[in-house]
Amino acid sequence: TEKYGCEKWELPVPVQCSLKSGRMISRPRTYVHYDVEHIRSPRVKRCFTEGENVFCLEKIDGCNVAFGIVDGAFVVCSRNYGIAEDDTNDYWKVARKYEIENKLRRIHEKLGLGVDQTLWIHGEMYGPIQVLKYGSPNEPLFAGFDLRSDDEGWMDWLRARQILDACNIPAAPLIY
């Protein structure tokens, strides 16, 4: 910054799903930007074979969130930012409400992951933060839809759902 007179540019926080409170930080090295391509995309069409079993989950209208254990630390990320710990921040409120840190640490241990191995749960935070309230006028809610570890990569839905259920972490509803 001093030598070249330039500053780090930060993507502005969008109004929708804004942090409301709290401080953005860099995402961890192992964070994967989560997005799902449209079913009509040529790449998606090549992903399926006729007769293959698929799982379709409800698309909840909310804010993408990821919780992780990275190098032994618990981290919280929105779609585009890491989020510093803050009791007034909706992402951290959800993490605390569902005891995500303790549950992720138990999963991390049960999977036999080493301290340098990561574990992520990806999901949707919803409720009073979006136009669709889903019956929750006062506090944000959470539904997980994917688990990823260094050991297994993206887990198949049956395995992920079994782990979420065993830890009492809400999952996105299975519709097909």
Side-chain angles (χ1 to χ4, degrees):
T1 299
E2 290 172 11
K3 184 174 180 175
Y4 296 107
C6 59
E7 295 180 21
K8 181 179 178 184
W9 180 79
E10 294 285 346
L11 184 67
V13 180
V15 174
Q16 184 180 20
C17 293
S18 68
L19 297 175
K20 295 182 186 174
S21 65
R23 184 172 53 86
M24 296 173 290
I25 56 177
S26 295
R27 291 183 304 221
R29 62 179 166 68
T30 61
Y31 176 83
V32 173
H33 185 83
Y34 197 99
D35 209 354
V36 177
E37 289 192 53
H38 194 280
I39 191 68
R40 291 188 184 112
S41 163
R43 281 192 295 218
V44 171
K45 284 183 178 181
R46 290 191 303 264
C47 289
F48 300 108
T49 58
E50 191 164 336
E52 178 182 6
N53 287 328
V54 296
F55 296 91
C56 297
L57 306 179
E58 179 180 342
K59 167 54 177 107
I60 298 171
D61 184 38
C63 299
N64 185 282
V65 61
F67 302 108
I69 302 295
V70 180
D71 297 326
F74 178 66
V75 295
V76 175
C77 295
S78 70
R79 177 183 291 282
N80 295 309
Y81 306 100
I83 303 168
E85 189 169 355
D86 183 331
D87 289 336
T88 64
N89 177 273
D90 284 342
Y91 292 84
W92 280 92
K93 284 180 185 177
V94 163
R96 291 202 170 83
K97 175 181 180 170
Y98 294 98
E99 301 175 349
I100 299 290
E101 179 177 3
N102 293 337
K103 292 173 181 179
L104 269 184
R105 289 189 185 284
R106 282 199 312 269
I107 296 167
H108 194 273
E109 185 179 322
K110 284 185 179 188
L111 292 176
L113 298 172
V115 128
D116 60 333
Q117 292 181 299
T118 63
L119 174 66
W120 288 93
I121 179 171
H122 294 263
E124 200 77 2
M125 180 176 72
Y126 62 99
I129 54 171
Q130 288 287 66
V131 174
L132 299 177
K133 304 297 184 217
Y134 289 97
S136 173
N138 299 321
E139 60 183 329
L141 302 172
F142 175 75
F145 52 71
D146 239 329
L147 283 170
R148 178 174 56 91
S149 74
D150 283 349
D151 236 18
E152 297 182 47
W154 295 103
M155 295 181 195
D156 71 58
W157 176 242
L158 289 178
R159 177 151 167 74
R161 181 63 189 255
Q162 180 182 33
I163 291 170
L164 293 174
D165 287 349
C167 293
N168 201 27
I169 297 173
L174 178 67
I175 57 174
Y176 177 81

